[in-house]
Amino acid sequence: MPIIEEKPIVQPKVDFKPEVQSKERQSVFVDNKQIPTSNLQSYVSGYNFTVDYYHQMLNKDSALKSQDVGDSSLFQQYRKIKNLEIKVNSPNTSDQNDEDKVFVTRGSAVIHNGLIPNEGDMFTAPVGDGRLAVYNVTRSQRLSIMADAVYQIEYSLSYFKEADLEKFKQLEEKVNVSVYYVKEYLAYNKSPLLIEHDYNTLLRLRRSAEEIASNMFLWFFSNEYKALLIPGQTNSILDLYIQDFFKVIAGGLEVSSRVQHFQSINIQDDNYLGYPQIFDALKYRDLNKLKIANDNMGVASTKAFHIDPMMENIRYTGIDFIVYPVSNRTHDDDKYNRLDKGALGGYVQKTYGLFDKTTPKDPVTGDYLYPTIPAITYDNKTLPLINEVDFNSKYVFSADFYECAKNDTESDNLSLIEVLVLNYLRDKNYSPGALELLTKDYKNWSKLNQFYFMPILILLILSQTMEM
């Protein structure tokens, strides 16, 4: 029997209640939001630098290497990208090479996702003293966030054009295709690289947009009423729809400063002028607006509007008539309004005779002698450039256009501008070349056609050029 007997230690009894915590709730939704490349650039420090970039044209057997004067243009080819904008985030520095003690100029920059740079690519840029430097891309790294990316490149100075003209000439000889870089296309998820023909076409279209906007003021702006008035009429007639539309699209053009010259006009005492029409659909690029839009228009006397003159009511502008919808729609206010605004108290007139009175007539038949409208072949169809604006039918465009827009159908009776507008509303591509045909011919149209189609031309052009 042991001298000392160890007694077991009794553990004290403790009332313990474990604390149970529920796990953090996890949603079944995944955030795969895509940040556009144009937004990613805002997170990159540096300054913008415009260069001409020589992108290697590679196949599976090609090796990545910089310009090699020993290789012919058959084995080393480039795609030249003009006006490429890069963001330099590490300025050029000159360091001495440890191997041969030669000074090397290096730097780094970020490139948009419009192209994937490779080691061995070349680019040229002015250095500020009149010389053109030729750089060699030594490293390329993809920088991504969410579902998009940009590319970080490191580069070194290869040579100066003026110091080695023969080498630069060989670089140019190895260019297989040239394209232009249009940064604004990135915001619309379109390729920013355009072939030279398309780029020059878009530049001409942009200049045409400026000219057309200037001519709208020159031809149709009334200095007396400070408004765009329908041309060639016996009385002064305002179409507030097209005027408001033009003011919006002109805001990004050189004539934007003249938009402030428009007279402020109040039509808030009317319930029917606010219904959608073709210019609302164009402004918001919303085809659904045409399904409930007013497509029949007449004119109404401005004397039917009664808001206080201090509120800038149209009644007191001196303008005789305003374009007004011809519709069977009713409004709840109609039964309460003492002015019976359901049809403006009978003031609305279907505009039989709302034509350009300056257009000559046939002395025998009395028909208007409109200028001959040429026809072209577009998408394997022969189309007139425009159809005459005819208020006796539908507003601005033809009845076939509204049928196609509302029911998503096609027709062989549309004009070229109607086809382009439908493609625009349906978010489809349309030819800049076809659009240029319209810009070359619009000066031959009647005044009424010019008045209504010129602002639409500007919109179609701006949609193509993306604010170039």
Side-chain angles (χ1 to χ4, degrees), residues 150-164:
V150 292
Y151 290 87
Q152 171 95 25
I153 63 169
E154 295 178 4
Y155 56 86
S156 63
L157 176 63
S158 181
Y159 60 93
F160 289 101
K161 170 188 173 182
E162 292 75 12
D164 201 337

Side-chain angles (χ1 to χ4, degrees), residues 180-275:
Y180 282 84
Y181 181 82
V182 182
K183 180 183 69 174
E184 289 76 14
Y185 272 42
L186 290 171
Y188 298 87
N189 293 322
K190 299 179 72 172
S191 171
L193 304 180
L194 299 177
I195 62 174
E196 188 169 4
H197 176 269
D198 287 348
Y199 180 79
N200 291 332
T201 298
L202 293 179
L203 285 181
R204 291 194 299 270
L205 286 175
R206 180 69 184 188
R207 289 193 291 268
S208 295
E210 297 286 358
E211 177 195 73
I212 294 170
S214 178
N215 286 338
M216 280 295 293
F217 278 102
L218 183 64
W219 297 346
F220 306 119
F221 184 75
S222 168
N223 288 316
E224 179 179 356
Y225 298 110
K226 305 298 180 186
L228 295 176
L229 299 183
I230 298 179
Q233 308 305 309
T234 305
N235 300 94
S236 56
I237 303 178
L238 170 69
D239 189 334
L240 202 56
Y241 297 132
I242 194 170
Q243 177 167 294
D244 288 345
F245 174 74
F246 176 71
K247 287 163 64 176
V248 170
I249 62 174
L253 301 174
E254 292 179 1
V255 298
S256 58
S257 61
R258 302 184 63 182
V259 171
Q260 62 184 338
H261 296 162
F262 282 101
Q263 179 180 185
S264 180
I265 296 175
N266 188 346
I267 43 86
Q268 291 183 3
D269 59 338
D270 184 84
N271 293 318
Y272 297 95
L273 280 168
Y275 277 96

Side-chain angles (χ1 to χ4, degrees), residues 370-376 383-388 441 444-446 449:
Y370 292 110
T372 301
I373 298 174
I376 66 157
L383 308 172
L385 293 183
I386 60 172
N387 288 323
E388 296 287 348
D441 194 62
N444 300 322
W445 303 342
S446 70
N449 290 331

Side-chain angles (χ1 to χ4, degrees), residues 277-291:
Q277 25 64 43
I278 179 62
F279 293 107
D280 279 333
L282 292 173
K283 188 190 310 181
Y284 299 105
R285 203 168 189 171
D286 187 354
L287 193 59
N288 289 324
K289 286 186 179 295
L290 283 182
K291 299 183 186 302

